[in-house]
Amino acid sequence: MLTKNCILVYVYSRRSGQYTMNHDHSKKTADGASFDRSGSQDSLDELSMDDYWKELENIHETRGNNHEERVALVVKEPDEGELEEEWLKEAGLSNLFGESSGDSLESVVFLSTLTRTQKAAVEKRVETVTQTMRKKNKQHQIPDVRDIFRLQNDSKGKVCDGSEPSTARTSENKNETQDGTKGPKFSLGTDEQKSLLEDMPVLDTDINLEIPFAEQAANLKDSSVGKMCKGGGGDTLLPNFRLPKDKTGTTKIGDLAPQDMKKVYSLALIELTALYDILGTEFKQQKAVKIKTKDSGLFGVPLTVLLEQDQKKVPGTKIPLIFQKLIAQIEEATLETEGLLRIPGVATRVKSLCQELEAKFYEGTFNWENVKQHDAASLLKLFIRELPQPLLTVEYLKAFQDVQNLPTKKQQLQALNLLVLLLPEANRDTLKVLLEFLQRVIDHRDKNKMTLKNVAMVMAPNLFTFHGFGSKTIEQSEFVMAAGTANVMRFMIQYQKLLWTIPKFIVNQVRKQNTERQKKEKKDKAMKKLLKKMAYDREKHEKQEKTPNDADVPQGVIRVQAPHLSKVSMAIQLTEELKAGDIVARFLSQKSGNVQTLKKEEVFLYEIGGNIGERCLDDDTYMKDLYQLNPNAEWVVKSKQS
């Protein structure tokens, strides 16, 4: 966030469409130290800010040359309770209110896996919706907020009354399932994990993915440990955040099956809301009124529409072809060009190239040899800006901007991690490719003079100033948000590998949901005589088939399948040091058949079934530890394409 003095330095004239830069050094904030909110304006020198305002000026000039009428997106102001109602729908909990109110299997299972802070976030929204419905005299069944989690708490003789979230306790505290049987232990931010967090040494640079972020914030609030993480270090010295090694493997976006990713989305939304609640920051999703958009072309076309037409040309494409080609064109020339991304292309030439691309790109007749590097960079930024909805989405653009307001850099990073999980797949994939490209530009900073700060300053206006919101938003928020959004941009580039990691506590909650769902389904089946008989017959049949196989796989040995490789099956002895990559290497060492056409980086070991749908394992996963977490899984070696 900029200070008042900074706002006065750059004055935007609607008449000229330009920013006037008045370098007044006489006014400095005397209380600079008070702006200690994660260094969102630490050492943001004037040169860097010049890069930001010059880029913004270039954007306005480009728009001034384009006389086409743009339809501004209308962000709908929600009625009382509407925001919370929409939130519950997004979280998959719409059956907690309205005509569909009731305890479905899915919601009962889902609610039983939430942490105390997540429960508090849900209760808060249900309470608001309930009060709104009562005011409007809606004739729907309205649940009492105290009853939402009664089912799982009643089994232990405790009821969460909604007034003290820390009193909510679930059965995972005792490594015990609801039916009293023992099962794998999942970390869900309960008392045991709270104790663990308090006892173990906390490093500012360690990102703990085992304990929910909101639980960490609640436990560290007002503590000396929490204050250690704040600000400091200067703008150029971003912390070297790292992920401590997880023996059961790191889960990246794209590693889980779609049905489990749907659960991840709901949990990420609730966790992000819980984190903001604990930190006292308002979290609001925005909704845009639907507008008519182009249904063909390259620029100004929705990502989903663009990918549909691209997939007809190249099946399986996940990134717009024009986006890929523009990046390739920039890199072909060399990333050592001084001022790359900062120096704009010639506006008239960029406009002409844009029109020519629209007409010739899909025909394959466009001559790329005529495209200069700076023009290609301008076209890339133009593509991002011209999307009918922002790359970071209407729903979450403000949430991305507001990350700068969170108290510590670590909490900012945690919030960004959850926000990335909430993006639609097409937006997330495109953002990932963009950030990877920007990092490659920064890697050549000695030659191109484009440091992390420079690149962030240049790219922030392209991602965070969305023309569809109209000029009012631009005029009012650009000054206020400039330094903050640039810092959020730096975070996304610097920590992109961390941002694409699914926290272990969320994966464990997914595992618990799957386990509880299987148990409830089994219990429901047992209540019906016909299904009981079928289950008995099936169990008897499976026993007869299972006996010889069990003899083949002794204790401490797993059977790994590889249906697409020449060696289709292998018995593997589990040891303390055995990793997933070791198993893949054993299969690839069988030099025959189609194994020769596969590269090591294309083949992975998958964990399938048990308490997970499907999960691609990273090579450093310790198999014995994972087997203990999911003993009923099947293990398959395959490529991501198969």
Side-chain angles (χ1 to χ4, degrees):
M1 185 179 291
L2 286 176
T3 65
K4 184 176 180 182
N5 292 323
C6 293
I7 294 174
L8 293 174
V9 169
Y10 295 91
V11 181
Y12 177 70
S13 169
R14 294 188 70 176
R15 182 175 298 174
S16 66
Q18 294 182 343
Y19 287 88
T20 304
M21 288 175 276
N22 179 18
H23 298 281
D24 182 3
H25 301 284
S26 61
K27 294 183 180 180
K28 301 284 184 182
T29 50
D31 59 343
S34 65
F35 291 93
D36 188 35
R37 302 186 70 79
S38 308
S40 62
Q41 50 187 7
D42 302 339
S43 309
L44 282 172
D45 56 68
E46 194 172 277
L47 178 61
S48 292
M49 290 311 299
D50 279 355
D51 285 346
Y52 183 98
W53 299 116
K54 285 175 184 175
E55 179 67 18
L56 204 57
E57 188 175 338
N58 291 332
I59 291 172
H60 281 282
E61 284 180 0
T62 303
R63 287 176 185 162
N65 292 332
N66 187 351
H67 300 295
E68 293 179 17
E69 288 292 322
R70 289 188 179 87
V71 181
L73 276 178
V74 179
V75 178
K76 187 180 178 184
E77 289 295 327
D79 296 329
E80 185 183 5
E82 191 176 9
L83 197 67
E84 289 78 8
E85 192 171 320
E86 189 63 35
W87 184 92
L88 287 165
K89 287 178 182 176
E90 286 287 316
L93 296 172
S94 57
N95 64 317
L96 293 180
F97 63 91
E99 294 174 345
S100 61
S101 179
D103 285 330
S104 71
L105 172 63
E106 289 294 336
S107 65
V108 169
V109 168
F110 185 84
L111 292 170
S112 72
T113 65
L114 299 186
T115 66
R116 64 194 178 104
T117 47
Q118 290 171 352
K119 288 177 180 179
V122 173
E123 289 176 349
K124 184 178 177 181
R125 272 80 199 165
V126 172
E127 180 68 43
T128 302
V129 173
T130 300
Q131 290 174 355
T132 304
M133 285 182 169
R134 284 176 180 149
K135 284 180 186 176
K136 295 179 179 179
N137 294 318
K138 286 196 174 183
Q139 300 301 312
H140 298 325
Q141 181 184 349
I142 303 173
D144 191 307
V145 68
R146 293 170 295 181
D147 293 333
I148 296 175
F149 300 104
R150 189 182 296 275
L151 184 64
Q152 56 264 35
N153 290 321
D154 275 352
S155 63
K156 295 170 291 302
K158 295 181 181 179
V159 179
C160 177
D161 62 6
S163 61
E164 180 57 52
S166 62
T167 61
R169 300 290 179 262
T170 52
S171 58
E172 65 265 20
N173 289 348
K174 300 176 182 178
N175 189 23
E176 202 170 276
T177 57
Q178 289 185 358
D179 59 3
T181 60
K182 296 285 180 179
K185 187 171 184 177
F186 305 103
S187 299
L188 292 180
T190 56
D191 280 350
E192 196 165 327
Q193 281 75 48
K194 282 172 63 181
S195 175
L196 178 65
L197 179 62
E198 289 162 359
D199 292 343
M200 70 183 189
V202 177
L203 296 176
D204 284 0
T205 54
D206 278 359
I207 302 298
N208 188 335
L209 297 183
E210 294 196 29
I211 298 174
F213 301 148
E215 293 288 329
Q216 293 181 44
N219 294 335
L220 298 178
K221 200 173 182 182
D222 301 324
S223 73
S224 59
V225 177
K227 291 171 186 173
M228 283 168 54
C229 304
K230 288 194 175 184
D235 184 67
T236 56
L237 299 175
L238 286 178
N240 185 25
F241 287 125
R242 68 182 189 91
L243 298 178
K245 206 66 182 171
D246 177 10
K247 296 193 94 177
T248 60
T250 302
T251 306
K252 296 286 187 181
I253 292 173
D255 286 349
L256 294 181
Q259 66 267 29
D260 283 340
M261 275 306 295
K262 190 176 178 183
K263 298 182 181 77
V264 167
Y265 175 88
S266 297
L267 290 164
L269 176 59
I270 295 174
E271 177 63 21
L272 181 66
T273 308
L275 177 63
Y276 274 55
D277 284 354
I278 291 293
L279 298 176
T281 302
E282 188 177 36
F283 170 65
K284 282 189 176 181
Q285 295 165 273
Q286 298 188 102
K287 288 289 178 186
V289 176
K290 287 185 178 180
I291 60 170
K292 188 175 181 180
T293 56
K294 291 169 64 177
D295 55 7
S296 63
L298 298 175
F299 296 86
V301 181
L303 273 178
T304 50
V305 174
L306 200 52
L307 286 173
E308 282 175 13
Q309 62 187 29
D310 285 354
Q311 285 163 1
K312 293 174 184 175
K313 298 278 185 182
V314 182
T317 296
K318 291 189 172 184
I319 312 298
L321 295 177
I322 182 62
F323 194 76
Q324 294 181 51
K325 182 58 184 173
L326 287 170
I327 288 177
Q329 185 69 16
I330 296 168
E331 295 195 274
E332 275 178 23
T334 178
L335 293 179
E336 296 182 354
T337 305
E338 189 168 335
L340 184 60
L341 296 177
R342 180 170 53 80
I343 298 174
V346 178
T348 53
R349 196 164 59 221
V350 169
K351 183 179 180 181
S352 176
L353 287 169
C354 183
Q355 293 170 345
E356 195 177 349
L357 276 166
E358 290 279 8
K360 299 179 180 180
F361 179 73
Y362 284 115
E363 293 177 2
T365 57
F366 182 81
N367 187 0
W368 286 96
E369 291 180 4
N370 295 334
V371 181
K372 298 181 184 298
Q373 190 180 38
H374 290 303
D375 292 342
S378 290
L379 285 167
L380 181 72
K381 292 185 287 187
L382 180 68
F383 174 87
I384 296 168
R385 295 196 307 271
E386 290 296 301
L387 288 170
Q389 292 209 17
L391 185 60
L392 300 178
T393 73
V394 171
E395 286 81 1
Y396 298 113
L397 181 63
K398 189 176 186 303
F400 272 96
Q401 293 171 339
D402 290 345
V403 162
Q404 61 168 316
N405 297 325
L406 299 184
T408 73
K409 286 185 170 74
K410 187 179 288 187
Q411 288 163 345
Q412 290 175 3
L413 183 57
Q414 291 170 339
L416 281 173
N417 182 198
L418 295 169
L419 280 166
V420 167
L421 291 174
L422 292 174
L423 291 177
E425 188 176 356
N427 298 63
R428 196 167 55 213
D429 290 343
T430 304
L431 177 64
K432 187 173 189 291
V433 168
L434 174 64
L435 295 179
E436 289 170 347
F437 163 68
L438 296 179
Q439 184 57 58
R440 292 195 295 274
V441 172
I442 293 165
D443 290 342
H444 293 80
R445 57 189 172 275
D446 290 344
K447 298 284 187 180
N448 60 32
K449 310 302 180 188
M450 294 300 291
T451 64
L452 172 62
K453 186 188 293 185
N454 297 135
V455 171
M457 285 292 170
V458 169
M459 293 305 298
N462 292 281
L463 258 75
F464 289 97
T465 64
F466 183 60
H467 71 74
F469 287 153
S471 61
K472 183 180 177 183
T473 304
I474 292 172
E475 286 181 33
Q476 290 182 354
S477 67
E478 279 310 296
F479 302 109
V480 178
M481 302 296 290
T485 55
N487 272 294
V488 173
M489 191 78 226
R490 282 192 315 144
F491 262 56
M492 289 197 293
I493 299 170
Q494 176 80 0
Y495 304 122
Q496 56 186 279
K497 290 183 180 178
L498 300 184
L499 296 182
W500 259 258
T501 301
I502 303 176
K504 184 178 180 179
F505 70 85
I506 287 183
V507 177
N508 281 347
Q509 285 182 284
V510 170
R511 290 184 187 278
K512 187 164 179 60
Q513 283 183 34
N514 291 336
T515 300
E516 293 299 320
R517 190 174 190 276
Q518 289 163 10
K519 286 178 181 173
K520 287 188 178 294
E521 284 178 344
K522 193 174 181 181
K523 192 177 285 186
D524 290 342
K525 285 180 182 179
M527 294 172 66
K528 298 180 181 179
K529 288 184 180 180
L530 180 60
L531 290 178
K532 277 179 72 175
K533 185 176 186 305
M534 290 172 62
Y536 172 78
D537 292 340
R538 185 170 62 251
E539 188 179 342
K540 186 177 179 182
H541 178 67
E542 287 174 352
K543 253 182 190 175
Q544 292 169 348
E545 287 189 340
K546 208 170 181 182
T547 307
N549 288 336
D550 285 346
D552 292 340
V553 185
Q555 191 72 21
V557 175
I558 59 172
R559 173 70 64 182
V560 181
Q561 307 292 332
H564 303 289
L565 303 181
S566 55
K567 180 82 172 178
V568 297
S569 179
M570 195 182 293
I572 305 285
Q573 176 71 51
L574 292 175
T575 64
E576 294 292 339
E577 299 302 317
L578 181 71
K579 297 181 181 180
D582 300 330
I583 294 177
V584 173
R586 291 189 196 183
F587 278 93
L588 293 180
S589 66
Q590 309 290 319
K591 298 291 184 182
S592 61
N594 61 353
V595 177
Q596 295 174 334
T597 64
L598 293 172
K599 297 177 183 176
K600 171 70 175 70
E601 57 271 18
E602 296 174 346
V603 184
F604 299 89
L605 180 62
Y606 281 76
E607 169 194 7
I608 300 175
N611 54 38
I612 203 79
E614 179 174 299
R615 177 173 172 249
C616 179
L617 305 181
D618 75 72
D619 286 346
D620 288 331
T621 303
Y622 285 84
M623 293 305 299
K624 191 169 184 179
D625 294 85
L626 182 57
Y627 176 77
Q628 291 170 351
L629 185 67
N630 191 6
N632 296 321
E634 295 179 0
W635 313 97
V636 178
V637 173
K638 61 177 182 174
S639 66
K640 281 202 172 182
Q641 290 73 34
S642 60

